[in-house]
């Protein structure tokens, strides 16, 4: 896990320097900023997992992380970073969204080694499991490529983050039906079958991510259209 987090930190530093024309961060600022981004990101996913456990009445002991914590909490960090450094909020969000996605990819890779976040058995018995972690890694690789290409064309205007919220929310809502939850694990131990509940708490977070993403995206689009219209006049 530490090696993967260091990889994410190194990527954030390299990506920040690659976009230094937009962010205007020198290397001696980008380096500690990359480390801070990783630390805050880890704190977000761990805190959100703890809150989920407490909210469901389960024990928070042994809880690792919930990736939705980064999606819902990291925007506050990006907003504060933009205001404190006096950079354009849209630029900070657009650039650091890529860093967040790469770091979450690293976190999901760790699931392969930790043996967590597994899929349900395809047959509903003790057969092969759905490769939910591997499918999510493919999703990250695809969305990461799309976002990087879009940002490198320099035609974005702050819409990258909400677009990611929508796409991940939609993906996670579908894949969640095939994932094994803590309730499923407990039910397997006690009754030898999965939990009767079809929907999980993460389904709610996925829907919330979609709705928030769409709301923010259309608001940004509306403001951008007004600015573009004003320039044409």
């Amino acid at each position: 896990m530490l090696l993967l987090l260091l990889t994410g930190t190194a990527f954030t530093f390299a990506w920040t320097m690659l976009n230094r024309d937009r962010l205007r961060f020198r290397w001696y600022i980008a380096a500690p900023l990359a480390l801070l981004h990783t630390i805050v990101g880890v704190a977000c996913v761990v805190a959100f997992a703890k809150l989920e456990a407490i909210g469901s009445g389960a024990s928070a002991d042994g809880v690792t992380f919930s990736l939705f914590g980064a999606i819902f909490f990291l925007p506050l960090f990006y907003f504060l970073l933009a205001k404190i450094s006096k950079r354009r909020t849209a630029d900070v969000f657009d650039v650091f969204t890529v860093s967040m996605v790469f770091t979450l990819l690293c976190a999901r890779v760790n699931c392969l080694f930790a043996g967590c976040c597994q899929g349900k058995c395809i047959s509903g018995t003790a057969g092969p499991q759905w490769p939910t972690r591997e499918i999510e890694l493919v999703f990250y690789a695809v969305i990461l490529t799309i976002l990087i290409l879009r940002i490198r064309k320099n035609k974005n205007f702050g819409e990258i983050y909400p677009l990611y919220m929508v796409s991940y929310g939609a993906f996670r809502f579908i894949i969640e039906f095939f994932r094994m939850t803590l309730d499923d694990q407990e039910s397997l131990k006690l009754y030898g079958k999965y939990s009767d509940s079809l929907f999980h708490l993460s389904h709610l977070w996925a829907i919330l991510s979609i709705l928030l993403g769409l709301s923010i995206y259309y608001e940004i689009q509306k403001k951008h259209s007004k600015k573009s219209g004003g320039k044409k006049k």
Side-chain angles (χ1 to χ4, degrees):
M1 184 61 174
L2 179 60
L3 179 60
L4 289 168
L5 290 176
L6 289 175
T7 302
T9 303
F11 176 88
T12 299
F13 170 73
W15 178 245
T16 302
M17 294 305 296
L18 192 62
N19 291 275
R20 58 184 177 275
D21 290 340
R22 295 182 64 178
L23 296 177
R24 306 187 310 280
F25 284 131
R26 301 285 186 178
W27 71 266
Y28 51 81
I29 296 177
L33 182 59
L35 180 60
L36 180 62
H37 182 271
T38 300
I39 293 173
V40 173
V42 170
C44 288
V45 297
V46 171
F48 198 77
K50 298 289 186 183
L51 290 174
E52 278 186 330
I54 295 173
S56 62
S59 173
D61 296 333
V63 173
T64 52
F65 53 77
S66 173
L67 300 190
F68 278 111
I71 294 176
F72 294 139
F73 292 164
L74 267 180
L76 177 59
F77 171 70
Y78 295 153
F79 180 78
L80 292 175
L81 175 61
K83 294 304 178 184
I84 293 173
S85 64
K86 297 182 180 179
R87 266 64 175 181
R88 289 182 66 245
T89 304
D91 289 337
V92 171
F93 269 83
D94 284 342
V95 172
F96 280 96
T97 297
V98 171
S99 297
M100 182 191 71
V101 174
F102 185 86
T103 305
L104 293 181
L105 183 151
C106 291
R108 191 56 80 197
V109 169
N110 181 68
C111 294
L112 298 176
F113 296 102
C116 61
C117 304
Q118 296 174 320
K120 294 180 179 179
C121 293
I122 293 177
S123 61
T125 59
Q129 294 174 299
W130 289 101
T132 53
R133 297 169 301 186
E134 292 80 359
I135 294 174
E136 187 162 344
L137 288 175
V138 173
F139 167 81
Y140 280 128
V142 172
I143 198 69
L144 195 61
T145 301
I146 293 173
L147 295 182
I148 288 175
L149 291 175
R150 183 159 183 161
I151 289 176
R152 294 308 293 169
K153 290 180 180 178
N154 202 24
K155 293 183 179 180
N156 46 293
F157 44 86
E159 82 286 5
I160 296 296
Y161 197 88
L163 284 177
Y164 171 69
M165 291 184 74
V166 174
S167 60
Y168 183 72
F171 167 81
R172 187 64 183 271
F173 184 85
I174 296 173
I175 202 70
E176 195 63 27
F177 287 108
F178 305 94
R179 293 184 65 194
M180 187 185 302
T181 65
L182 293 176
D183 288 339
D184 287 325
Q185 294 176 10
E186 196 67 26
S187 182
L188 280 174
K189 291 179 181 178
L190 295 175
Y191 311 110
K193 65 175 185 177
Y194 294 119
S195 170
D196 294 330
S197 177
L198 181 62
F199 291 94
H200 310 150
L201 182 59
S202 291
H203 280 109
L204 174 63
W205 304 139
I207 293 174
L208 182 60
S209 180
I210 294 172
L211 295 178
L212 283 175
L214 287 174
S215 176
I216 296 170
Y217 176 76
Y218 285 121
E219 188 65 28
I220 291 175
Q221 278 281 76
K222 186 167 63 175
K223 290 182 179 180
H224 180 69
S225 297
K226 287 182 179 180
K227 288 183 179 180
S228 298
K231 289 181 179 179
K232 289 179 180 179
K233 292 179 182 180

